[in-house]
Amino acid sequence: MEPVAVIGAGPFGLSTAAHLRARGIPVRVFGEPMVSWRAHMPEGMLLKSTPAASNIDAPQPGHNLVDYCDAAGIRRLVTDEDIVPVETFVAYGEWFRQKLVPDLERVRVVSVDRRGSGGFELKLDSGELFTARAVVVATGLSGLAHLPPELASAAPDGPTPTGPVSHSSQLHDLSRFSGKELIVVGAGQSALETAALAAEAGAQVRVVARGKGSVAFGAPPWTQPRLRPESPFGRAWSLWALSYYPHPYRHLPPQARHFLVRRVLGPLGAWWLRERFEGKVQVSEVSRIVRSGSAGGHPALAVQTLDGRVEELSADHVVAATGYRVDLAAMDFLGHELRTELAVSRGTPKLGAGFRSSVPGLYFTGLPAAASYGPVMRFVCGTEFASPRLVRHLVGARG
Ligand SMILES: Cc1cc2nc3c(=O)[nH]c(=O)nc-3n(C[C@H](O)[C@H](O)[C@H](O)COP(=O)(O)OP(=O)(O)OC[C@H]3O[C@@H](n4cnc5c(N)ncnc54)[C@H](O)[C@@H]3O)c2cc1C
């Protein structure tokens, strides 16, 4: 039988592959295991998600983060007050892969095209061509780093760690900014944690964030309201519904879906980051960045202050911690014809039941599925909802 191809070896790809293998479905899995976490997040980062929300879903018990801690002989990470270091999470993902997806192929998929007789033809960067009866796209954050246009003019050749402007996904070792002045643009956990880590490494850091009160931190677990239901993201009815009942999400009007993906679980620092940030990092809350460029060989930003003045800020380097945008156009491994055939909504694939796209046999999971199944798909805990459902649909579709 032709295999199913899973493109991606982050939490979503590994989880989907484990579920397919458990069903006895032939599967080929491609990608660099846990590369987003290993290479595109800062060294020394701590996960914002709690241990309970950091499990990669498996078809059989014994593969949660706490099981990894036991197997590795390290302190168990269980309560909401336990904080997960990124290095532990990477090692957990690698352990999960060795146990459940041992035959992963560390190869890039260069192209996916539909075959006239049904199924797909894939080309690998090893030069191999092969056919698959179905394809699951689990490429996560890869290639989707977003640089807002107002920062693009300071980086005419695109963001790079050695140029005037980088994207946060390009920085792993922040110690290189020791003794330097750094501007970090953004107000999400990635911006605030990058700023704190760079300050701890000896940089002089300023966060530039849009809107009054935009730099804020969550409440510690022991102060969460007890009468609201628990969810992986804290106690609130809205978070509980989005976490455990994402089914109806794709039936909401498109405006509501796109709005919720951006706003729910939006920019907010983790509760434990506050004391490492406040007093160590300068903050400029502005109404907007008017333009960017360079001054005396350094990147410079003109910002409109909250009271309407225009101020110039400059530093040795600017980090755009401005997140990720799903855009099918950036998934250039999907053949042109396939991309034009796919039903999309604001650049994201429109998904139906079981995470299927409008092209039979083509599935999307993880971040590209967030516009259809809600913000929980942006996080590791989304694997619990996504993987069993996607695989159930795929198996059923086998006929
Ligand atoms: C700074 C930061 C902190 C975060 N912290 C948390 C957190 O605390 N908790 C949480 O739940 N989420 C967190 N997230 C979100 C988290 O990154 C995603 O939930 C998760 O990584 C998505 O997993 P994924 O498997 O979809 O994709 P990724 O982990 O991005 O993996 C993508 C995979 O696709 C592969 N790939 C891409 N293109 C190809 C190709 N053409 N051929 C073959 N393989 C390919 C890559 O090699 C890789 O294996 C954070 C994100 C960032 C940026």
Side-chain angles (χ1 to χ4, degrees):
M1 194 200 304
E2 281 182 347
V4 172
V6 175
I7 311 177
F12 279 87
L14 293 175
S15 170
T16 311
H19 278 267
L20 285 164
R21 286 181 100 245
R23 293 247 190 178
I25 308 284
V27 54
R28 290 186 70 177
V29 191
F30 304 101
E32 272 302 313
M34 303 297 285
V35 70
S36 293
W37 300 83
R38 202 164 8 92
H40 301 293
M41 297 184 195
E43 204 177 343
M45 186 188 102
L46 302 173
L47 266 62
K48 189 178 173 191
S49 54
T50 59
S54 305
N55 294 318
I56 306 175
D57 191 66
Q60 56 280 86
H63 299 91
N64 282 347
L65 179 63
V66 70
D67 301 311
Y68 164 71
C69 294
D70 290 346
I74 58 173
R75 191 175 72 80
R76 301 185 110 213
L77 298 165
V78 240
T79 74
D80 285 1
E81 288 162 45
D82 288 331
I83 302 168
V84 186
V86 71
E87 291 76 16
T88 303
F89 188 68
V90 170
Y92 163 50
E94 183 54 30
W95 173 81
F96 184 101
R97 181 198 74 74
Q98 281 169 12
K99 290 190 76 184
L100 298 178
V101 195
D103 42 7
L104 170 86
E105 299 175 57
R106 299 172 93 132
V107 190
R108 270 190 76 75
V109 174
V110 182
S111 64
V112 181
D113 291 290
R114 213 167 163 181
R115 211 172 33 162
S117 50
F120 300 87
E121 186 165 81
L122 286 87
K123 187 171 181 196
L124 307 179
D125 69 359
S126 59
E128 183 190 343
L129 275 176
F130 79 101
T131 54
R133 49 173 287 256
V135 172
V136 179
V137 177
T139 49
L141 312 175
S142 317
L144 303 180
H146 172 64
L147 184 72
E150 61 273 22
L151 289 180
S153 41
D157 301 325
T160 124
T162 49
V165 178
S166 60
H167 186 273
S168 52
S169 61
Q170 297 173 315
L171 303 175
H172 181 62
D173 174 12
L174 296 169
S175 65
R176 54 193 291 257
F177 295 115
S178 175
K180 299 266 195 286
E181 288 183 10
L182 199 64
I183 291 177
V184 178
V185 177
Q189 169 71 3
S190 169
L192 307 185
E193 196 171 8
T194 296
L197 284 164
E200 286 163 1
Q204 206 180 313
V205 190
R206 174 185 297 276
V207 161
V208 175
R210 220 168 34 180
K212 192 167 170 47
S214 51
V215 172
F217 296 87
W222 58 90
T223 63
Q224 301 256 341
R226 291 274 148 223
L227 290 175
R228 299 196 193 139
E230 222 174 310
S231 86
F233 306 109
R235 288 177 176 268
W237 283 103
S238 56
L239 299 179
W240 174 82
L242 287 165
S243 306
Y244 298 113
Y245 297 93
H247 322 64
Y249 194 86
R250 65 195 165 85
H251 302 296
L252 294 172
Q255 293 91 326
R257 285 189 287 107
H258 291 287
F259 176 82
L260 287 171
V261 167
R262 269 186 289 117
R263 287 305 175 85
V264 176
L265 303 168
L268 189 69
W271 62 271
W272 44 260
L273 189 59
R274 183 191 288 273
E275 64 176 26
R276 288 172 50 197
F277 182 94
E278 287 179 349
K280 283 123 191 156
V281 173
Q282 287 181 292
V283 174
S284 296
E285 288 178 345
V286 302
S287 69
R288 67 187 179 100
I289 294 174
V290 183
R291 61 179 179 273
S292 63
S294 71
H298 294 293
L301 307 181
V303 298
Q304 188 177 51
T305 60
L306 295 174
D307 56 11
R309 287 173 299 114
V310 172
E311 237 178 45
E312 296 282 335
L313 302 172
S314 74
D316 293 306
H317 187 80
V318 172
V319 182
T322 42
Y324 297 80
R325 289 262 167 97
V326 179
D327 182 3
L328 271 177
M331 297 186 182
D332 53 5
F333 59 90
L334 295 176
H336 178 71
E337 257 180 51
L338 199 56
R339 269 186 280 159
T340 45
E341 254 180 89
L342 273 168
V344 292
S345 171
R346 298 191 193 174
T348 67
K350 270 195 196 169
L351 304 181
F355 291 74
R356 70 181 158 81
S357 72
S358 59
V359 170
L362 181 61
Y363 295 78
F364 289 84
T365 187
L367 183 63
S372 298
Y373 280 97
V376 68
M377 293 304 141
R378 290 170 23 213
F379 300 93
V380 174
C381 62
T383 56
E384 185 181 345
F385 179 82
S387 305
R389 282 169 180 84
L390 188 158
V391 168
R392 211 175 303 140
H393 188 278
L394 201 152
V395 170
R398 189 164 53 153

